[in-house]
C-alpha cells in the first residue's frame, strides 16, 4: 500500500498516530506539508496574517521534522498551493492508495479537509483522518461532545473524576521510502518550497526560550531543572523564559504531544514530587482541551462579533486607537510594555495577554476580533481555538456567563510588576 500523510499541526514523530503505527503492508510513504494561501496573505486590517516570528518557528519546526524523517529513510515535501489540489494531484501522480491527516475543529481548516476528501474520493483514493490534538481523546470524554459544558469549571470537574489520557506511542525507528516517482523530474509541476532558503528570510526572528527541541524543553522543565515543581508560584511571571512552561509554541504546531506532556508530568510526580504546581500544569492543559472541544461545537460562531452567546455589543472600529494599542502607544505603561514585547519577540505572558485583551475590549471598546487577528499575526504560539476562545472569554462574549471581569491595570501592574522592571525592560524605548 502507498500512503500519503498530509502533515498539518502534527509536526512530530513522537506519539504520531499514523507514523507510529503504519500498516505492515505499507510499501511507500509520501510526507507532505502544504503552505496554503494564508502563508503570504495580508489581513484586511493590513498586516500579515502570519507574522515573522510565527513563520520563523514554523519553518524551524518543518526543518526539524524533515531531518527526523530523513534519519529514518524518508523526507518532507513542502509545497505551496491549495491543500485540496496539491494533495490530490500528488496522490494521483504517485499512485497513492490512502491519504491520512489529523483533523482540526475550525472552519478554514475544515474547508481544506472537505476539499481534500472530496477530490481524493472522487479519484478512488481512500482517506483516513484522526482526532489527535487534544490531551483527552474525544472518545474518552465522560459525556457526548454535544453535551460539553459551556463553563470550564463544570468541564474540568467532570473530566477529572475519571481522567483517562491515552499512552503516547514511541516514535518509529525506520520508515518506508517515498515513492520512486518522486525523483522523476517530469513529475515536478508543483511549487516546491526550499526550506533552507525560506528560513533564511526569517532567521533573525527567533523568540527567546524556544530555541531547543520540544522533548528537550519538556525534559528540562521537568526532570532537568525541575521547574515544574514551582510552576504555580512562577506562572504569573513576566520576565525571563522560565516562569511558565513555554510548551505552547510546540503544541501549536504539534511538535510536542499533549499526551507526552501529561505522562511526563505524571512520571515526574511519581519520581520527584507531586504538588499543586504539577497539578496546575495539567489543569492549564485542560483549558486548552476545553477551548478545542468548544471550537468544534461553535463552528463559525468562534469568529462572530457576538461570540458563542450571540451577545449584542456595539464594538468600536477606530483604526487610530487600535494602532496605538498594536504599537504600544496607549500611554498605559503596563499595556504598552506587553504590546512591545509581543511585536519584538512574538511572545507575551498569559498575564499580559489577559490585560491587553481586557484593555482593548473593555476600556477602549474595540472589536475583540481585531485584537484576536493581531494576536493571530504576532503570536509565535498562535493556536486558533485557544486564541479566539480566550479572546471571546475576555471580551465577555463566550459561553461562560461569569466572564465580566475588568482588570484594574494599576492593581495588576502593582501585583505582577511591583518594581516596574518589566515596564522598564519593554517600555517606551521599544515603542
Ligand atoms: C487573549 C488571549 C489569547 C491567547 N492566545 C493563545 C494562542 O494563540 N495560543 C495558545 O497556545 N494560547 C493562547 N492563550 C492562552 C495562554 O496565554 C497561553 O497558552 C500561555 O500563555 C502559553 O504559555 P506557556 O506554554 O508557558 O503556558 P503555561 O502557563 O505553562 O501552561 C501550560 C499549557 O497549558 C495551556 N494553557 C495555559 N493557559 C491556557 C489558556 N488560557 N487557554 C488555553 N490553553 C492554555 C497551553 O497549552 C500551555 O502551553 C491566550 C490567552 C489569552 C488571554
Amino acid at each position: 500500500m502507498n500512503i500519503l500523510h498530509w502533515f498539518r499541526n502534527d509536526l512530530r514523530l513522537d506519539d504520531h498516530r499514523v507514523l507510529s503505527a503504519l500498516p505492515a503492508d505499507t510499501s511507500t510513504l509520501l510526507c507532505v506539508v502544504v503552505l496554503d494561501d494564508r502563508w503570504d496573505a495580508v489581513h484586511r486590517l493590513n498586516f500579515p496574517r502570519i507574522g515573522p516570528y510565527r513563520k520563523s518557528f514554523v519553518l524551524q519546526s518543518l526543518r526539524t521534522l524533515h531531518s527526523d524523517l530523513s534519519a529514518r529513510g524518508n523526507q518532507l515535501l513542502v509545497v505551496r498551493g491549495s491543500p485540496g489540489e496539491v494533495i490530490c494531484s500528488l496522490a494521483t501522480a504517485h499512485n497513492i492508495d490512502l491519504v491520512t491527516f489529523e483533523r482540526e475543529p475550525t472552519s478554514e481548516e475544515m474547508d481544506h479537509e472537505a476539499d481534500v476528501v472530496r477530490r481524493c474520493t472522487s479519484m478512488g483514493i481512500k482517506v483516513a483522518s484522526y482526532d489527535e490534538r487534544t490531551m483527552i481523546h474525544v472518545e474518552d470524554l465522560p459525556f457526548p461532545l454535544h453535551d460539553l459544558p459551556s463553563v470550564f469549571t463544570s468541564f474540568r470537574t467532570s473530566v477529572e473524576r475519571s481522567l483517562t489520557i491515552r499512552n503516547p506511542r514511541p516514535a518509529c525507528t525506520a520508515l518506508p521510502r517515498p515513492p520512486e516517482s518522486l525523483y522523476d523530474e517530469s513529475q515536478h509541476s508543483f511549487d516546491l518550497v526550499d526550506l533552507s532558503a525560506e528560513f533564511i528570510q526569517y532567521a533573525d526572528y527567533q523568540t527567546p526560550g524556544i530555541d531547543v527541541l520540544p522533548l528537550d524543553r519538556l525534559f528540562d522543565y521537568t526532570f532537568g531543572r525541575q521547574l515544574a515543581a514551582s510552576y504555580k508560584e512562577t506562572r504569573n511571571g513576566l520576565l525571563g523564559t522560565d516562569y511558565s512552561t513555554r510548551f505552547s509554541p510546540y503544541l501549536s504546531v504539534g511538535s510536542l504531544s499533549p499526551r507526552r506532556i501529561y505522562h511526563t508530568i505524571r512520571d515526574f510526580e511519581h519520581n520527584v514530587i507531586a504538588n499543586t504546581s504539577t497539578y496546575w500544569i495539567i489543569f492549564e492543559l485542560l483549558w486548552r482541551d476545553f477551548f478545542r472541544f468548544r471550537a468544534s461545537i461553535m463552528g463559525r460562531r468562534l469568529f462572530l462579533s457576538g461570540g458563542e452567546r450571540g451577545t449584542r455589543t456595539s464594538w468600536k472600529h477606530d483604526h487610530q486607537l487600535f494602532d496605538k494599542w498594536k504599537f504600544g502607544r496607549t500611554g498605559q505603561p503596563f499595556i504598552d510594555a506587553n504590546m512591545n514585547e509581543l511585536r519584538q519577540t512574538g511572545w507575551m505572558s498569559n498575564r499580559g495577554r489577559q490585560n491587553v485583551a481586557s484593555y482593548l475590549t473593555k476600556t477602549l471598546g474595540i472589536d475583540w476580533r481585531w485584537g484576536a487577528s493581531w494576536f493571530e499575526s504576532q503570536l509565535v504560539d498562535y493556536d486558533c481555538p485557544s486564541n479566539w476562545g480566550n479572546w471571546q472569554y475576555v471580551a465577555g462574549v463566550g459561553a461562560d456567563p461569569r466572564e465580566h471581569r475588568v482588570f484594574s491595570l494599576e492593581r495588576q501592574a502593582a501585583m505582577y510588576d511591583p518594581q516596574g522592571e518589566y515596564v522598564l525592560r519593554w517600555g517606551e524605548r521599544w515603542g
Side-chain angles (χ1 to χ4, degrees):
M1 176 159 54
N2 299 319
I3 297 183
L4 183 157
H5 182 68
W6 171 28
F7 274 100
R8 306 174 80 201
N9 294 314
D10 55 334
L11 306 181
R12 64 172 183 274
L13 296 189
D14 179 54
D15 191 31
H16 193 278
R17 166 72 182 256
V18 176
L19 272 63
S20 296
L22 283 169
D25 63 346
T26 310
S27 4
T28 69
L29 172 70
L30 181 54
C31 296
V32 184
V33 161
V34 185
L35 299 184
D36 61 58
D37 55 6
R38 289 174 293 182
W39 186 253
D40 289 318
V42 176
H43 190 275
R44 62 184 173 77
L45 291 169
N46 212 18
F47 46 76
R49 273 201 73 177
I50 308 178
Y53 288 97
R54 173 78 179 159
K55 276 191 173 169
S56 176
F57 180 69
V58 171
L59 290 166
Q60 185 57 53
S61 307
L62 291 176
R63 275 158 44 114
T64 306
L65 178 63
H66 177 65
S67 86
D68 287 349
L69 288 169
S70 303
R72 289 160 177 82
N74 204 284
Q75 67 178 76
L76 185 65
L77 197 66
V78 185
V79 184
R80 274 178 204 276
S82 124
E85 279 172 29
V86 170
I87 298 297
C88 184
S89 314
L90 279 169
T92 317
H94 299 293
N95 288 323
I96 297 296
D97 304 295
L98 174 68
V99 167
T100 54
F101 64 86
E102 219 172 74
R103 285 196 290 271
E104 290 281 351
T106 38
S107 52
E108 281 184 333
E109 287 73 16
M110 287 168 72
D111 290 347
H112 285 154
E113 291 167 17
D115 195 31
V116 167
V117 173
R118 189 177 52 76
R119 285 171 189 262
C120 288
T121 45
S122 74
M123 302 298 289
I125 300 163
K126 287 200 192 105
V127 180
S129 59
Y130 309 93
D131 281 313
E132 287 285 302
R133 297 222 57 207
T134 44
M135 180 170 71
I136 306 173
H137 196 280
V138 63
E139 288 162 12
D140 299 336
L141 285 172
F143 37 72
L145 187 58
H146 58 82
D147 286 342
L148 182 82
S150 55
V151 175
F152 172 72
T153 311
S154 317
F155 165 77
R156 179 182 59 77
T157 44
S158 172
V159 296
E160 276 182 346
R161 259 179 241 132
S162 60
L163 197 57
T164 311
I165 309 297
R166 298 185 180 185
N167 280 321
R169 310 161 189 88
C172 52
T173 48
L175 284 168
R177 295 193 57 74
E180 278 302 317
S181 47
L182 195 62
Y183 306 102
D184 178 352
E185 291 290 323
S186 64
Q187 296 282 1
H188 285 180
S189 55
F190 300 99
D191 185 1
L192 296 183
V193 177
D194 176 344
L195 275 183
S196 301
E198 187 87 12
F199 180 71
I200 287 169
Q201 291 184 54
Y202 301 100
D204 292 339
Y205 296 94
Q206 296 276 330
T207 302
I210 53 164
D211 48 357
V212 291
L213 294 173
L215 290 173
D216 291 350
R217 174 67 183 173
L218 177 60
F219 181 83
D220 184 47
Y221 200 81
T222 50
F223 292 95
R225 285 185 292 153
Q226 305 196 352
L227 299 165
S230 52
Y231 169 78
K232 183 98 190 298
E233 289 79 55
T234 60
R235 73 196 172 100
N236 281 311
L238 299 167
L239 278 170
T241 54
D242 289 331
Y243 53 80
S244 63
T245 64
R246 293 221 175 185
F247 294 157
S248 57
Y250 307 111
L251 284 164
S252 73
V253 296
S255 57
L256 189 56
S257 146
R259 292 168 294 279
R260 177 66 67 198
I261 301 177
Y262 176 86
H263 285 285
T264 306
I265 298 287
R266 288 287 181 245
D267 284 351
F268 181 74
E269 289 182 329
H270 288 133
N271 294 302
V272 182
I273 185 172
N275 59 16
T276 49
S277 285
T278 52
Y279 165 77
W280 218 264
I281 296 174
I282 308 295
F283 173 99
E284 294 294 357
L285 286 165
L286 289 177
W287 268 109
R288 176 177 176 274
D289 275 12
F290 176 68
F291 282 123
R292 279 203 158 257
F293 290 133
R294 285 234 65 83
S296 59
I297 291 181
M298 261 190 266
R300 291 184 200 271
R301 275 179 301 151
L302 185 58
F303 309 103
L304 296 184
S305 153
E308 188 165 6
R309 262 196 282 165
T311 315
R312 287 174 76 87
T313 312
S314 44
W315 300 107
K316 279 191 218 149
H317 295 103
D318 181 326
H319 288 272
Q320 269 186 341
L321 272 183
F322 181 55
D323 280 351
K324 284 187 177 164
W325 178 81
K326 269 169 35 193
F327 294 112
R329 301 214 176 102
T330 65
Q332 291 289 342
F334 192 57
I335 298 299
D336 293 348
N338 274 289
M339 295 308 289
N340 291 337
E341 184 188 8
L342 175 64
R343 226 175 45 260
Q344 303 288 331
T345 66
W347 185 262
M348 190 191 291
S349 67
N350 183 52
R351 182 57 41 196
R353 294 179 203 202
Q354 291 182 39
N355 273 280
V356 302
S358 165
Y359 183 77
L360 185 80
T361 55
K362 303 270 170 67
T363 307
L364 301 181
I366 288 183
D367 193 332
W368 64 274
R369 295 170 303 168
W370 285 23
S373 301
W374 180 246
F375 268 33
E376 173 171 343
S377 167
Q378 300 297 304
L379 278 177
V380 70
D381 64 2
Y382 170 65
D383 173 81
C384 187
S386 290
N387 186 56
W388 291 79
N390 269 290
W391 271 93
Q392 285 207 2
Y393 196 87
V394 178
V397 298
D400 193 326
R402 296 163 309 161
E403 292 162 11
H404 284 294
R405 272 203 301 175
V406 183
F407 287 95
S408 149
L409 279 183
E410 289 73 25
R411 240 187 111 229
Q412 290 281 309
M415 269 175 84
Y416 300 108
D417 189 27
Q419 313 300 327
E421 289 167 274
Y422 180 73
V423 166
L424 191 66
R425 170 70 182 88
W426 290 108
E428 252 169 44
R429 76 194 165 99
W430 295 99

